[in-house]
Amino acid sequence: MSPFSSIDDAEKGIVVQEMPPLPIVLPSWTSTSSIDSPKTASSVTVSTSHSDTKHPVTPTSPSPPSPSKEALPPSPQPFVTPVRLQRKLLQRKPGRWIRFQLWFNTYRKFYMTVMLLNLIGIAFAISGKWTYPRRYTGAFVLGNLLTAILMRNELFGRFLYLVINTLFAKWTPLKFRLGCTSVLQHLGGIHSGCAVSGFLWLLFRVASIFIDHKANHDSVLVMGVITNLIVGVSIISAFPWVRNTHHNVFERHHRFMGWLGLLSTWIFVVLGDSYNLDTHTWDPDGLRILKQQDFWFAFGMTVFVLIPWFTIREVKVDVEIPSPKVVILRFERGMQQGLLARISRSSIMEYHAFGIISEGKHAKEHYLICGVQGDFTRGLVENPPTHVWTRQLKFAGVSNTSTLYKRGIRICTGTGLGAALSTCLQSPDWYLIWIGSDQEKTFGPTISSLIHRHLGPERVTLWDSRKRGGRPDTMKLIKEAYLSWGAEVVFITSNFQGNKEMMEGCKAAGIPAFGTLWDF
């Protein structure tokens, strides 16, 4: 199993594929038809000329099938490419420039910019050309750490999404709206950059105390070293390799070492501000401490760390297990589209994020699709809970910016439907492409009924790889839907390999697309 196939993280779906990826199947049809077409779709030419842009041609597909097995049509026989052509297609790779553009995304641009600015500041401070950081190093340490916490705070994130979606939806230039989505999706670059920068400033601070250790009290030095070690462990535990391959290790160390680091930071700040370097005596003057910048930075860090935990509640859940591969969790109350939920079987341990499926804010219920893979999701099958812990303050995913666009395509594979379906249920301007194996049997009647009840055949393509005889040419699906639907953007939720292929294909075709993140 690839380390990148984890489905416990939000917006990371899997392709429920029981068949081997070879031979590559290239279907002979060219229209975006539903899986349940009673006969193989004939070739349809999609015109790229838009004489009437107000009424784009929409792909059509027949009505949903009867649940009866006897009513199911025979599986169409796709054209299977010869082995030599398969090898040629497999060897075809996107250009280096395209791969570089996708690698050097907004996340890395943010990260490198933040790191560069801070490294320049540290270099000037070390050389003595900038004396301010030497006197107020704590402000640089805690200012960076506070910014890092803000970038991952649910309340602050929801505020940013609300402002952008309210002020700039649909009327602003497309490039500007794409830029807004990119910035919101990649705020993690600022989070990572500021966290590492804060750690480097902390090293500089402790090194300065060591150099001038005679002027400082030993307790200040000891707490500085302890704080460095704790913050360092918290940062290392959040490296992409650790996060994607050892999720529970990441959860425990990043959270609890982060809390311990916050506590030690408070002690370090108070001790440093209470010790008078001129008289070499303790001067625990509350007013003096309140006037220091680092005190208020530490206070802000504490507030934003605690806010989400004040919204923790134990809520009732109904568990539906349509197949050994998938668990459907049903909760009370409706939700807006583009939100993700963190759930746990305990109040503070191992929270797992899943996309929320809801028909709207006024709906009675919302759902989570959990693919059965890790220990947590297997436990939902072996020991179904009646209640789980969740944060009532949900955080926003990239789909939340779908309101910025006039029309869009939402393509997903397997359990990635959980992060994609709400957007299409709540907006008639979004087209759904869902790829999976034995979809109705695997995901059950609840999910199937949501799709068939709300999405007409004119704006959904369901590709069942079992019935179709293999995986589709995903770029063919995307290109045809993008042209015929008159879309402005494509949102992708897939596993690592599927996301990589589709993002590279969209980039090469000049189609604006946002996929799953694997570098945060």
Side-chain angles (χ1 to χ4, degrees):
M1 180 69 68
S2 168
F4 295 105
S5 63
S6 171
I7 56 174
D8 285 338
D9 286 326
E11 299 210 358
K12 292 182 178 141
I14 61 169
V15 180
V16 184
Q17 181 74 16
E18 295 181 354
M19 301 183 64
L22 290 177
I24 293 177
V25 178
L26 297 180
S28 59
W29 54 276
T30 58
S31 65
T32 51
S33 57
S34 170
I35 59 166
D36 299 310
S37 175
K39 52 186 176 181
T40 305
S42 60
S43 177
V44 176
T45 301
V46 180
S47 174
T48 58
S49 62
H50 297 281
S51 57
D52 185 1
T53 57
K54 295 182 180 179
H55 302 284
V57 181
T58 57
T60 59
S61 60
S63 302
S66 168
S68 172
K69 291 185 178 180
E70 289 76 8
L72 288 174
S75 301
Q77 299 300 318
F79 173 72
V80 181
T81 55
V83 176
R84 291 179 62 186
L85 181 55
Q86 292 176 22
R87 292 173 180 168
K88 185 177 180 181
L89 290 171
L90 287 174
Q91 292 171 356
R92 186 183 302 165
K93 294 182 179 179
R96 292 181 179 179
W97 176 238
I98 289 177
R99 295 201 303 272
F100 174 77
Q101 286 179 292
L102 292 174
W103 178 84
F104 194 56
N105 56 16
T106 306
Y107 181 100
R108 288 187 169 89
K109 291 174 183 176
F110 277 148
Y111 180 83
M112 292 184 67
T113 300
V114 171
M115 286 294 296
L116 182 61
L117 291 175
N118 278 279
L119 287 174
I120 291 173
I122 292 174
F124 276 112
I126 292 174
S127 65
K129 294 182 178 180
W130 192 19
T131 59
Y132 184 86
R134 285 183 170 272
R135 288 179 293 157
Y136 302 102
T137 311
F140 286 85
V141 174
L142 300 179
N144 273 288
L145 296 180
L146 172 60
T147 305
I149 290 172
L150 275 177
M151 293 302 106
R152 283 291 189 235
N153 180 263
E154 287 91 336
L155 182 62
F156 184 73
R158 289 286 296 275
F159 173 75
L160 291 181
Y161 274 86
L162 176 63
V163 171
I164 296 298
N165 289 334
T166 303
L167 298 181
F168 305 119
K170 298 179 174 63
W171 67 272
T172 52
L174 178 59
K175 285 187 177 180
F176 178 81
R177 285 176 278 145
L178 293 171
C180 289
T181 298
S182 184
V183 167
L184 291 173
Q185 185 189 26
H186 295 94
L187 289 174
I190 301 176
H191 167 79
S192 300
C194 286
V196 175
S197 297
F199 177 65
L200 294 178
W201 278 109
L202 188 59
L203 287 175
F204 172 76
R205 170 64 173 163
V206 174
S208 299
I209 296 176
F210 261 110
I211 294 171
D212 196 21
H213 65 277
K214 292 182 180 179
N216 286 276
H217 197 273
D218 289 344
S219 61
V220 178
L221 180 59
V222 170
M223 280 311 304
V225 173
I226 292 175
T227 304
N228 257 313
L229 292 174
I230 295 173
V231 174
V233 171
S234 180
I235 290 175
I236 292 172
S237 68
F239 278 16
W241 179 82
V242 178
R243 180 166 184 158
N244 288 322
T245 59
H246 302 282
H247 182 82
N248 290 345
V249 172
F250 156 74
E251 279 273 342
R252 293 165 183 166
H253 288 76
H254 195 62
R255 175 176 301 140
F256 295 113
M257 295 304 285
W259 290 351
L260 188 58
L262 180 60
L263 177 61
S264 64
T265 298
W266 265 112
I267 299 174
F268 184 47
V269 166
V270 172
L271 285 177
D273 290 343
S274 300
Y275 191 70
N276 193 315
L277 296 177
D278 297 325
T279 62
H280 300 292
T281 58
W282 293 104
D283 184 17
D285 185 352
L287 290 177
R288 182 172 177 271
I289 294 175
L290 287 175
K291 292 178 180 179
Q292 304 301 313
Q293 299 177 70
D294 46 8
F295 171 86
W296 291 105
F297 280 128
F299 178 78
M301 289 169 56
T302 306
V303 169
F304 282 104
V305 165
L306 292 177
I307 283 176
W309 294 96
F310 281 126
T311 69
I312 293 292
R313 299 289 186 275
E314 188 177 23
V315 298
K316 181 182 177 182
V317 61
D318 293 324
V319 180
E320 177 184 334
I321 308 175
S323 70
K325 298 178 182 179
V326 171
V327 176
I328 309 297
L329 304 181
R330 181 187 290 108
F331 298 86
E332 295 179 353
R333 78 188 179 102
M335 297 277 182
Q336 64 169 285
Q337 62 86 30
L339 299 182
L340 301 110
R342 288 191 176 105
I343 61 172
S344 175
R345 301 193 76 151
S346 65
S347 57
I348 60 174
M349 294 290 291
E350 297 176 8
Y351 275 82
H352 299 261
F354 301 93
I356 296 174
I357 297 177
S358 177
E359 297 167 86
K361 294 180 181 179
H362 304 294
K364 295 181 179 180
E365 300 168 322
H366 66 273
Y367 309 87
L368 306 183
I369 297 179
C370 308
V372 179
Q373 185 173 340
D375 294 338
F376 176 77
T377 48
R378 278 198 298 269
L380 297 176
V381 176
E382 297 168 358
N383 182 24
T386 58
H387 293 76
V388 295
W389 290 87
T390 185
R391 299 183 187 181
Q392 297 292 75
L393 180 60
K394 311 302 180 185
F395 67 102
V398 66
S399 292
N400 198 251
T401 64
S402 63
T403 56
L404 291 176
Y405 304 97
K406 298 174 184 176
R407 282 195 163 197
I409 307 293
R410 199 63 173 86
I411 181 169
C412 56
T413 59
T415 56
L417 181 70
L421 185 54
S422 275
T423 298
C424 300
L425 292 180
Q426 297 184 30
S427 173
D429 299 322
W430 280 76
Y431 188 98
L432 175 66
I433 302 174
W434 182 30
I435 303 165
S437 175
D438 212 357
Q439 292 164 324
E440 293 202 19
K441 181 179 179 181
T442 301
F443 291 84
T446 298
I447 301 302
S448 297
S449 65
L450 283 173
I451 295 174
H452 294 315
R453 195 164 67 245
H454 294 279
L455 304 182
E458 72 282 354
R459 65 183 189 99
V460 61
T461 294
L462 306 178
W463 183 280
D464 192 320
S465 56
R466 176 180 288 275
K467 294 180 182 178
R468 288 285 189 176
R471 296 169 59 185
D473 182 344
T474 53
M475 282 312 302
K476 188 178 184 68
L477 292 178
I478 291 173
K479 288 177 182 178
E480 292 178 349
Y482 181 78
L483 290 173
S484 60
W485 188 245
E488 292 183 321
V489 68
V490 176
F491 286 168
I492 301 166
T493 304
S494 183
N495 63 356
F496 179 76
Q497 187 61 33
N499 180 79
K500 180 175 180 291
E501 292 173 0
M502 285 185 270
M503 286 296 293
E504 290 175 348
C506 287
K507 192 70 175 179
I511 298 174
F514 296 93
T516 307
L517 294 184
W518 300 97
D519 51 1
F520 64 92

